[in-house]
């Protein structure tokens, strides 16, 4: 497949977004420590994060004939059993996507809630209960996968997963500085700033992309070099809890200038991404939403939901879920979820069912 500047430009945004997400490990430092020592302790701390309140925000502004502004966020509490980190976590996450540009606009809100024995999805402020049989199947598949991996990623430092891929996040920052102690969501934290080593980040993240089963796109070193050349003024700021040695916030900022001749209609773009953790390892209260409707109502509203719709008797092939002898991997499930969300955003009911191929 021929590599175009537009494809590399899209790759750059996707991979740097993933970079910040993967960087959520734990940390340890004091305000007088060498900043590199802080990074070393950040990504070599085995403290398990079993609960907290997650906040992710992404802001993108673009200039040019297709100028626009988009914001996305995910917020809410999560909690796993500290004595069984392979168990499916309880959570109550809300997602929002808003913006306009290039003659298009989007205004989406949704969420997912999971208690010990129930699960719900929320779409445009209305909750729908997932059938208990389907939720039970999903939990069984998830817990089997987590058990094989040695425990849920939400209950670990995250470092072991990255090291298995040959990735060391502390090499992603250069010219680091200890900026002192600041307050982050009511917690005293050490602020470490630095420049983002874009070629290293993209090189490491290409390893992750290549490890995904049935990945449709892989990137060679020349593509990574081209993508890195589009980035201007990359910065990373890490905030480490001064007392409990856990990550409290991670911020990524960068400007992107695609090469002349790119057909995207964007002459420049600025990206800000922030990930925060508060109330870490504190007990979270997660309850079922009130006035939830049957999931079949949502299925009818959206014209089918692929794996969910077929499980409930709708159109589409039966997916390979637990009990069929072929349980999808977590990577395949994540790819399927992204595919479904994209198809739904485009109002493409047929495309939703085509996403099933990613689970095989």
């Amino acid at each position: 497949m021929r590599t175009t500047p537009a494809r590399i430009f899209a790759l750059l945004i996707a991979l740097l977004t993933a970079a910040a997400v993967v960087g959520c490990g734990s940390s340890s430092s004091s305000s007088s420590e060498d900043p590199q020592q802080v990074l070393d302790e950040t990504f070599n701390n085995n403290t398990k994060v079993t609960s907290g309140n997650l906040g992710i925000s992404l802001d993108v502004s673009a200039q040019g004939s297709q100028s626009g502004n988009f914001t996305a966020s995910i917020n809410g509490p999560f909690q796993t059993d500290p004595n069984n980190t392979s168990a499916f976590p309880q959570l109550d996450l809300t997602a929002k996507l808003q913006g306009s540009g290039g003659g298009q606009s989007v205004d989406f809100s949704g969420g997912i809630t999971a208690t010990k024995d129930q699960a719900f999805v929320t779409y445009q402020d209305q909750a729908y209960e997932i059938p208990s049989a389907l939720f039970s199947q999903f939990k069984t598949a998830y817990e089997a996968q987590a058990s094989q991996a040695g425990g849920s990623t939400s209950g670990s430092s995250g470092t072991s997963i990255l090291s298995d891929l040959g990735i060391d996040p502390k090499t992603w920052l250069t010219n680091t500085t200890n900026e002192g102690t600041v307050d982050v969501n009511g917690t005293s934290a050490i602020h470490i700033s630095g420049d983002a080593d874009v070629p290293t980040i993209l090189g490491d993240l290409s390893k992750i992309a290549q490890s995904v089963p049935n990945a449709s796109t892989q990137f060679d070193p020349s593509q990574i070099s081209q993508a890195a050349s589009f980035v201007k003024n990359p910065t990373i700021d890490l905030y480490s809890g001064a007392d409990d040695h856990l990550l409290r916030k991670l911020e990524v900022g960068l400007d992107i200038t695609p090469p002349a001749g790119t057909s995207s209609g964007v002459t420049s773009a600025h990206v800000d991404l922030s990930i925060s953790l508060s109330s870490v390892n504190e007990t979270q209260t997660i309850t079922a939403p009130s006035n939830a409707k049957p999931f079949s109502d949502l299925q009818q509203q959206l014209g089918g939901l692929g794996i969910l719709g077929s499980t409930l008797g709708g159109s589409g092939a039966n997916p390979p879920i637990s009990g069929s002898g072929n349980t999808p991997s977590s990577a395949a499930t994540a790819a399927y979820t992204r595919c479904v969300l994209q198809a739904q955003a485009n109002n493409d009911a047929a495309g939703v069912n085509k996403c099933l191929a990613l689970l095989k």
Side-chain angles (χ1 to χ4, degrees):
M1 178 182 297
R2 190 172 74 87
T3 301
T4 64
R7 181 176 292 116
I8 296 176
F9 184 46
L11 151 71
L12 186 60
I13 295 177
L15 288 188
L16 284 182
T17 299
V21 175
V22 172
C24 278
S26 56
S27 59
S28 173
S29 71
S30 66
S31 60
S32 61
E33 283 188 79
D34 177 84
Q36 190 58 49
Q37 180 182 345
V38 175
L39 291 179
D40 290 342
E41 294 180 353
T42 294
F43 297 106
N44 289 285
N45 189 316
N46 293 322
T47 302
K48 294 182 181 296
V49 176
T50 59
S51 65
N53 200 298
L54 175 67
I56 302 176
S57 65
L58 175 66
D59 295 283
V60 180
S61 59
Q63 292 74 46
S65 62
Q66 300 293 317
S67 63
N69 293 276
F70 291 89
T71 62
S73 65
I74 299 175
N75 295 280
F78 65 92
Q79 182 164 279
T80 60
D81 183 347
N83 298 316
N84 180 17
T85 55
S86 295
F88 188 81
Q90 297 182 58
L91 49 84
D92 187 10
L93 301 179
T94 300
K96 293 183 179 181
L97 176 62
Q98 295 178 316
S100 61
Q104 299 181 346
S105 63
V106 60
D107 187 357
F108 168 83
S109 65
I112 181 168
T113 302
T115 64
K116 289 184 177 180
D117 52 13
Q118 290 179 290
F120 305 81
V121 294
T122 301
Y123 179 72
Q124 303 299 67
D125 299 323
Q126 175 61 54
Y128 302 85
E129 183 174 5
I130 295 176
S132 58
L134 177 58
F135 182 48
S136 178
Q137 287 180 318
F138 183 83
K139 284 178 61 178
T140 299
Y142 173 94
E143 292 171 358
Q145 186 75 24
S147 179
Q148 292 174 4
S152 168
T153 57
S154 63
S156 69
S157 67
T159 308
S160 60
I161 298 172
L162 297 177
S163 61
D164 288 344
L165 295 170
I167 293 173
D168 185 2
K170 65 177 176 288
T171 65
W172 292 354
L173 281 78
T174 62
N175 302 320
T176 55
T177 301
N178 187 332
E179 304 284 359
T181 303
V182 298
D183 181 271
V184 177
N185 296 322
T187 298
S188 179
I190 310 302
H191 176 195
I192 302 299
S193 66
D195 298 329
D197 188 335
V198 177
T200 298
I201 292 173
L202 293 180
D204 280 351
L205 290 172
S206 70
K207 298 176 184 177
I208 298 176
Q210 291 168 9
S211 71
V212 176
N214 302 319
S216 59
T217 307
Q218 296 186 356
F219 310 104
D220 60 33
S222 64
Q223 291 176 310
I224 293 171
S225 178
Q226 291 179 63
S229 69
F230 302 162
V231 175
K232 310 297 180 184
N233 309 315
T235 61
I236 297 181
D237 292 90
L238 179 145
Y239 300 82
S240 172
D243 296 327
D244 61 13
H245 313 299
L246 296 174
L247 182 73
R248 282 300 188 265
K249 195 172 187 178
L250 185 69
E251 297 178 320
V252 177
L254 54 92
D255 296 313
I256 302 174
T257 304
T262 300
S263 59
S264 64
V266 175
T267 57
S268 64
H270 181 77
V271 179
D272 283 314
L273 188 142
S274 174
I275 300 175
S276 65
L277 286 171
S278 59
S279 303
V280 176
N281 288 343
E282 297 179 8
T283 300
Q284 304 297 314
T285 301
I286 298 172
T287 59
S290 59
N291 302 319
K293 294 183 177 181
F295 190 81
S296 56
D297 288 4
L298 179 61
Q299 181 191 11
Q300 294 174 0
Q301 180 181 349
L302 298 181
L305 290 172
I307 184 172
L308 297 177
S310 63
T311 303
L312 295 171
S315 60
N318 289 327
I321 53 179
S322 178
S324 66
N326 183 19
T327 301
S329 68
S330 57
T333 302
Y336 167 82
T337 302
R338 291 192 298 269
C339 179
V340 169
L341 291 175
Q342 182 62 50
Q344 290 177 356
N346 295 332
N347 294 318
D348 182 6
V352 170
N353 286 322
K354 290 180 181 179
C355 296
L356 286 171
L358 297 172
L359 294 175
K360 297 180 179 179

